[in-house]
Amino acid sequence: KQEVTQIPAALSVPEGENLVLNCSFTDSAIYNLQWFRQDPGKGLTSLLLIQSSQREQTSGRLNASLDKSSGRSTLYIAASQPGDSATYLCQTGANNLFFGTGTRLTVIP
Amino acid sequence: NAGVTQTPKFQVLKTGQSMTLQCAQDMNHEYMSWYRQDPGMGLRLIHYSVGAGITDQGEVPNGYNVSRSTTEDFPLRLLSAAPSQTSVYFCASRDPRQTSNEQFFGPGTRLTVL
C-alpha cells in the first residue's frame, strides 16, 4: 500500500518569505502527484498536478517538483501572503490514490 | 459542467439510523471514490469504482456500502450509523483515459452521528 507523508505537520512563517512544503511516498509506480489546498471547514482546491513523466509544474507563485526515484515532491510558495494560510495536501498513487495528512501553513502579517 | 456534486451538505443522525450520501458527476469519468476526512488522519479511501457495475473496497470500508449502476452516480450507504462514522465525506472522480488523470472533488458532506 502506498504511504504518503508530509513534513512538517505545521509551519508558521512571516509574510513575504519563500517556503517549501514536502511530500514523500513509498511506491514510485504512480500516475501523477496532485497538490491541494484546503481552508478550514471547506473542500479541496486543486493547485497543481504533476504527471509521472514530468519533473515540475508552475502556477503563479507556486512551483511543484517531482522526483519519482527518491519518492519526493515539493511545493514551493514564493513571497508568501496571509491568504496562503491553509492546509496543503498531496495525493498520489496508481489505481488507488492516497493522501498525506497535510501541512497546516500560517502566514503571519 | 457542474463537476462533482454531493448531497446533503450537512446531516445529523442518531446511532443505528441509516442514510445514503449522494454523489454525482457530469464529466463522464470512469473512476469514482469516497473518502472520509478526520482530524489528524488525512483523507482515507472508503470505497471506489472503476466503472458502472464495478466497485471495490478501500482502506476503511467497514460500515459502508456502495453501488454504481450508472457512470454518473456513486451513492454511499450507511446501514446502521455509529458515532465513529462522524466525519466529513468527500466524493471524487477522475478519468484515467485522460493523460492528466486529475482527480476532482465534491464540496463534501459533514456527518454527525449522535
Side-chain angles (χ1 to χ4, degrees), chain A:
Chain A
K1 176 198 162 198
Q2 178 76 270
E3 301 283 345
V4 183
T5 304
Q6 290 185 251
I7 295 173
L11 180 64
S12 184
V13 300
E15 181 177 2
E17 271 204 5
N18 303 324
L19 59 100
V20 175
L21 306 180
N22 297 295
C23 173
S24 61
F25 48 95
T26 54
D27 188 347
S28 62
I30 62 172
Y31 285 158
N32 58 34
L33 188 138
Q34 198 167 351
W35 282 93
F36 294 88
R37 168 189 174 135
Q38 187 176 34
D39 294 294
K42 303 296 184 182
L44 287 86
T45 300
S46 180
L47 297 173
L48 288 166
L49 181 147
I50 311 174
Q51 297 176 33
S52 61
S53 59
Q54 298 174 326
R55 297 285 295 196
E56 65 178 340
Q57 281 287 327
T58 298
S59 176
R61 294 183 293 109
L62 305 180
N63 176 277
S65 68
L66 174 64
D67 184 343
K68 281 177 53 179
S69 61
S70 66
R72 293 181 182 179
S73 176
T74 62
L75 179 66
Y76 174 83
I77 302 177
S80 59
Q81 303 171 358
D84 295 330
S85 298
T87 296
Y88 291 80
L89 297 157
C90 65
Q91 171 201 264
T92 192
N95 290 328
N96 288 335
L97 300 180
F98 296 90
F99 279 88
T101 51
T103 294
R104 189 173 68 252
L105 173 65
T106 303
V107 180
I108 303 166

Side-chain angles (χ1 to χ4, degrees), chain A residues 1 32 38 51 91 95, chain B residues 37 59 94 99-101 103:
Chain A
K1 176 198 162 198
N32 58 34
Q38 187 176 34
Q51 297 176 33
Q91 171 201 264
N95 290 328
Chain B
Q37 185 176 34
E59 301 173 79
R94 61 192 172 101
T99 304
S100 69
N101 198 23
Q103 181 144 259

Side-chain angles (χ1 to χ4, degrees), chain B residues 2-24:
Chain B
V4 182
T5 58
Q6 291 183 238
T7 56
K9 291 185 178 179
F10 301 94
Q11 183 71 50
V12 178
L13 293 178
K14 294 181 180 179
T15 297
Q17 285 186 317
S18 63
M19 79 159 296
T20 299
L21 307 185
Q22 301 292 345
C23 174

Side-chain angles (χ1 to χ4, degrees), chain A residues 34 36, chain B residues 3-4 27 29 91-94 98 102-106:
Chain A
Q34 198 167 351
F36 294 88
Chain B
V4 182
M27 297 174 281
H29 285 173
C91 180
S93 75
R94 61 192 172 101
Q98 297 179 3
E102 181 177 0
Q103 181 144 259
F104 296 84
F105 283 83

